[in-house]
Every structure is written in structure tokens, then in C-alpha cells.
Amino acid sequence: MRSHLLNDATAESYRRSVTEGVERVAAKLASTRSPFTGVTPADLGPVIDAVDLDRPLGDSSAALDELESVYLRDAVYFHHPRYLGHLNCPVVIPAVLGEAVLSAVNSSLDTWDQSAGGTLIERKLIDWTTGRIGLGPAADGVFTSGGTQSNLQALLLAREEAKTDDLSRLRIFSSECSHFSVQKSATLLGLGHDAVVSIPVDRNKRMQSVVLAAELAACRAEGLVPMAIVATAGTTDFGSIDPLPEIAALVDEYGAWMHVDAAYGCGLLASPTRRHLLEGIERADSVTVDFHKSFFQPVSSSAVLVRDGATLRHATYHADYLNPRRTVAEQIPNQVDKSLQTTRRFDALKLWMTLRVMGADGVGQLFDEVCDLAAEGFALLAADPRYDVVVEPQLSTLVYRYIPEAVTSPEDIDRANLHARKALFASGEAVVAGTKVDGRQYLKFTLLNPETTVADIAAVLDLIAGHAEQYLGETLVHA
Ligand SMILES: *Cc1c(COP(=O)(O)O)cnc(C)c1O
């Protein structure tokens, strides 16, 4: 069994196995004709059930053969131009190369003595990111598993900086379109169930700063503590960016912690043409970025950045076996002192390889392309009488719904749109997402693939209209 351990003696087998795996995936990517096969859990369940984990196949070729039917054949492929569903991106090759290297070397970024250069590479990328944001000389941060963890850590720091023992008095302000991880974090941080004050959005799905101002005044009048204001720079549904300068001004007035959730919008940091959309982000106390959304990185790659690196001490705990107190005095760089995780992937290497090969402009141009595509898609939808489109996109999402020509009930329209989404998924021809707007069922394109064309969008809109019309036709016949 030692032949399966990766070391000097098995280098040749490592090379062969990984090459074989890479070749299969490359062949798969080349032969994929649709983003999905439409397989159902009922179809695939028995295939996975039939695998006996106590009877190993013994070699990687056999395991790869098996992988074809249990995974590769029916996976959802984000590189396909008609995958328009969630915030998943096709990945860039330098990042995938980084992924292969980091898992083989298997550094763990908790302490210097488990990562050495990896720690310094991560630190340099944190500095690069805080530099792009403009957080100033004392800024710092750490890579995390995703935006959810980044938001949790940012709000932990905000809670500690609020300096009150009465957690029931703390309030977090975020827009009604903010990510649900804000609410989840509040619960995990022991705040009350009414801790998150939801601020309504305007027509363009951006936080109404006038209402925020009123809510902050009410909070103060009631003797409550405004712990944090969470501005979203790229809402998950609409890609809308809250008015950051106006929010920053209110933060100054009320002394709260300003967190900017740029999980989605962070791609603008590298954009050669759209960086100005993030104006005001430099005034944040903390920022969430998801490189695995708009930097074309494989999952996972995310970071939380802070203006004042000293605040990261709220996540610092010492263990004699890992990062004893003396290591601080000895200036040994242990990233675990800044992280909620202990053992931690060297995800930073993927971004490193990306920047070293393509440069920031290269990545930013890809994000620009999908934002341009969204603008064209908006024009298409706005001119199409079959569809109602919600807002002109600032980033790369389009939220819309099919509206039948004949008069039907609002419930029928909801059901027709939901049916269209499900039917499309079952056909595998394209994948789109769904959401609700004012209680009604809508559909959503999240455009993150520069290979997607306006013609793809038009073709998918025709498919959706076809499914919706068919549904309504059948419903009317049976009614
Ligand atoms: C995706 C997203 C998150 C959560 O990030 P994960 O990486 O999925 O944990 C948080 N905030 C916003 C605005 C997001 O779009």
C-alpha cells in the first residue's frame, strides 16, 4: 500500500495518475455539449449506492473509469457557455495549476513551520488586495473558505470592537438584498434575533441611505448600539452596489464598524475600466472578497481584509503545541493567529499563479467582458415583449420573468416561470437560476463566463419561453 503514498519513490506513479486524471477531464471538457445531463437524484442515487467502499479497485485507472459514471458524466459544468445559474465561474488554467501544486505539497497555512514560503505568499496577496482596496498602511487580513466565513469573521471583529457585554443591545444594519450569511453570523455571534435591521432598497436594489440614517437615529434614541453597517458591493441577486460613500459618511457619524461585502463585486478591483464602481470601499473597516466568484478561481478562495490589522487579535488564541505566545515576541509569522480556521488550505497559491501568469488586468478584463455581456443581455430583455426585466445590471446578473401574452393569474405566471426553470434544468440544455422579487417568481442569469455570447442568451430565452408557453397551454387545456 505504500506505493500509494506520494514521495520520492512514487514520483513516477504520481505523474502517471495525475496525467491520466488531467487527460480525462480535458477530454470531458472538450466533449461536453451541454452544461448538464439533466440527471436526477433518483437516477444517480442507485449508481452511487452500488459502489462498495470496502472493496477498493486498487488502481487509479479503474477508479477513474468508475468516476465517469458516478461523477464526471453528470456533473454540472461551469465552463459551458450555457451555464448561467449561480455565482460560479469557469476557472483559469494558472489557478488550476496552482491547485494541483498546493494539494500535492499540502502546506497548511496555520503556522510558519507547516508552510514557510506559503505564509509569505499569502501575506503578499493580502497586501496586494488591501492595496487595491486602499485600506491604508495598517491593513491586514487572511484567506478564508468563502464569503460566509469572511462575513462571520468581520462581524466577530465588529462585535468585539463594539465593546459592550450586553449583546442584546447590538444592531447590524444591512440591506434587504444582503447575503443571508449576515443573519447567520448574527445568530452564531450570540446576538438577539432582532439584531439585524433590514434596510429597504431603491428601484436599483441599492440600500436606501436615507432610511439607513433614520434607522441609525432611532437606534441611538432607543439606547441601542449600532455595531456594524454592512454594505453590499454586488448583491447576490442583482449585482447592485450599495452607495458606499453615503454609507461611509453615516458610519463616521454613528461610530459603527463599516463592513463591505464585496464577495461578488471584488472582481472590479482588477477591472481596467470599472474600478470606480467601488468608490468608497477604501473607507471600510473590513471587506469580504470571494476570488472564487469574480477572479475565476476554483473553490475555495476568499479573504477577509481589515483596515486595522490589530483588530485581528480578536481571533487570536494560543496553544502550546502550535503557536505558543513566545512566537509572537519572536516574530514568527503564524497565520493561525488571524484566522478562525486552524489547518488551512494554501488557496492563495491559485491567485498567485493567476497574477504571475495573466496579471491583474488579464483577470479584470474577463470580468469586464461578462459585465459588458450583461449590459447587452439587458438590452435584449428590455426589447423583448415576452419578458419583464428587473434592473439594469451594474455587474453581471439579469433578473427577469416570462410574461405571457394572454391574460393569466399572477400565480400562473409564477408557476410557468418555475416550470420553465425546472424543465430547462431537466433538459440539461442550459442552467439558469431563480429568485423572488416582491413575492413573485423570477428567473436569473448570473453571467460569469466570457465565452457566453448574446446569441446564447437569446437562445436560452427562446427555450424558456417555449417551456413556459407549453406549461400555460397545458394548464389552460386542463382548466
Ligand atoms: C456568495 C456570497 C456570499 C457567500 O460566499 P460563499 O463563498 O458562498 O460562502 C456572501 N455575500 C455575497 C454578497 C455573496 O454573493
Side-chain angles (χ1 to χ4, degrees):
M1 284 301 131
R2 290 204 190 178
S3 63
H4 295 296
L5 288 172
L6 175 53
N7 56 35
D8 55 343
T10 57
E12 194 41 47
S13 139
Y14 160 62
R15 201 172 284 130
R16 217 179 324 109
S17 308
V18 174
T19 305
E20 203 185 331
V22 168
E23 269 160 13
R24 299 236 186 176
V25 174
K28 196 82 221 164
L29 295 179
S31 64
T32 302
R33 297 285 164 255
S34 62
F36 186 45
T37 59
V39 75
T40 65
D43 296 333
L44 210 45
V47 180
I48 310 262
D49 274 350
V51 174
D52 184 350
L53 292 177
D54 293 315
R55 282 169 180 267
L57 297 166
D59 78 278
S60 35
S61 301
L64 281 169
D65 284 343
E66 182 183 83
L67 203 61
E68 177 62 26
S69 59
V70 297
Y71 177 54
L72 293 175
R73 186 186 62 207
D74 297 300
V76 177
Y77 284 99
F78 303 152
H79 76 285
H80 194 280
R82 294 202 180 171
Y83 177 83
L84 311 169
H86 300 280
L87 266 167
N88 313 104
C89 51
V91 292
V92 290
I93 296 168
V96 177
L97 172 59
E99 182 78 64
V101 173
L102 74 93
S103 17
V105 181
N106 200 29
S107 298
S108 178
L109 278 262
D110 36 348
T111 55
W112 171 257
D113 66 2
Q114 302 176 71
S115 62
T119 287
L120 301 182
I121 286 175
E122 170 165 318
R123 287 189 163 197
K124 196 170 167 84
L125 286 165
I126 289 291
D127 290 346
W128 179 84
T129 311
T130 59
R132 290 247 160 190
I133 299 172
L135 286 181
D140 200 357
V142 72
F143 273 68
T144 67
S145 60
T148 303
Q149 190 190 350
S150 296
N151 284 346
L152 173 63
Q153 180 161 359
L155 291 171
L156 166 72
L157 305 186
R159 185 192 73 182
E160 295 304 296
E161 289 294 310
K163 300 188 173 70
T164 171
D165 289 331
D166 186 359
L167 299 186
S168 70
R169 290 174 56 227
L170 297 178
R171 292 293 178 273
I172 298 171
F173 300 82
S174 68
S175 97
E176 57 182 311
C177 292
S178 63
H179 194 259
F180 70 0
S181 54
V182 174
Q183 184 66 56
K184 217 186 249 193
S185 300
T187 305
L188 286 167
L189 292 169
L191 309 187
H193 286 294
D194 45 6
V196 179
V197 181
S198 183
I199 308 294
V201 292
D202 63 16
R203 278 178 43 243
N204 294 314
K205 307 294 175 188
R206 305 164 80 221
M207 188 194 282
Q208 292 189 34
S209 49
V210 177
V211 182
L212 174 63
E215 288 288 352
L216 282 165
C219 176
R220 185 186 270 171
E222 288 169 45
L224 302 171
V225 181
M227 173 188 120
I229 301 175
V230 178
T232 310
T235 57
T236 314
D237 260 352
F238 304 99
S240 48
I241 299 170
D242 287 340
L244 302 176
E246 290 166 35
I247 292 170
L250 288 167
V251 164
D252 288 346
E253 192 179 335
Y254 286 88
W257 178 281
M258 178 172 172
H259 177 62
V260 177
D261 179 356
Y264 176 15
C266 62
L268 297 175
L269 293 171
S271 160
T273 62
R274 288 178 166 83
R275 170 62 181 82
H276 62 274
L277 291 175
L278 289 179
E279 215 172 279
I281 195 174
E282 69 285 351
R283 294 168 73 179
D285 293 293
S286 57
V287 177
T288 287
V289 298
D290 259 359
F291 298 115
H292 61 219
K293 283 181 181 161
S294 46
F295 272 75
F296 304 91
Q297 301 292 294
V299 177
S300 59
S301 182
S302 177
V304 61
L305 298 317
V306 295
R307 157 179 310 287
D308 177 7
T311 58
L312 291 171
R313 73 182 178 283
H314 300 305
T316 310
Y317 291 79
H318 290 285
D320 292 336
Y321 57 80
L322 188 68
N323 59 336
R325 275 174 203 287
R326 66 165 171 78
T327 56
V328 177
E330 290 170 7
Q331 295 191 322
I332 296 170
N334 289 332
Q335 293 292 84
V336 72
D337 295 352
K338 307 173 185 178
S339 175
L340 299 185
Q341 292 170 263
T342 309
T343 305
R344 193 163 53 83
R345 293 165 52 84
F346 182 20
D347 287 317
L349 184 61
K350 295 180 280 194
L351 181 59
W352 178 271
M353 293 300 283
T354 303
L355 294 181
R356 297 312 295 141
V357 175
M358 302 169 61
D361 283 358
V363 186
Q365 270 162 23
L366 293 179
F367 191 55
D368 267 356
E369 284 180 42
V370 294
C371 294
D372 289 340
L373 177 67
E376 292 176 71
F378 175 78
L380 200 66
L381 274 161
D384 190 333
R386 298 172 300 176
Y387 286 97
D388 167 36
V389 57
V390 182
V391 284
E392 192 166 351
Q394 279 186 291
L395 298 181
S396 65
T397 57
L398 293 166
V399 179
Y400 59 90
R401 69 191 319 221
Y402 172 79
I403 302 283
E405 218 173 299
V407 187
T408 38
S409 71
E411 289 74 22
D412 277 341
I413 300 179
D414 284 347
R415 282 191 283 265
N417 279 280
L418 191 59
H419 170 83
R421 180 188 174 198
K422 288 181 176 174
L424 193 62
F425 189 65
S427 77
E429 289 186 89
V431 180
V432 305
T435 192
K436 288 210 167 157
V437 181
D438 301 328
R440 303 257 70 111
Q441 181 67 49
Y442 276 75
L443 301 175
K444 177 166 86 155
F445 292 150
T446 309
L447 304 171
L448 279 178
N449 190 344
E451 294 284 311
T452 302
T453 62
V454 182
D456 285 313
I457 294 178
V460 174
L461 288 175
D462 286 343
L463 290 171
I464 290 170
H467 288 302
E469 277 156 22
Q470 190 193 1
Y471 174 84
L472 288 169
E474 283 169 13
T475 309
L476 292 181
V477 168
H478 294 297

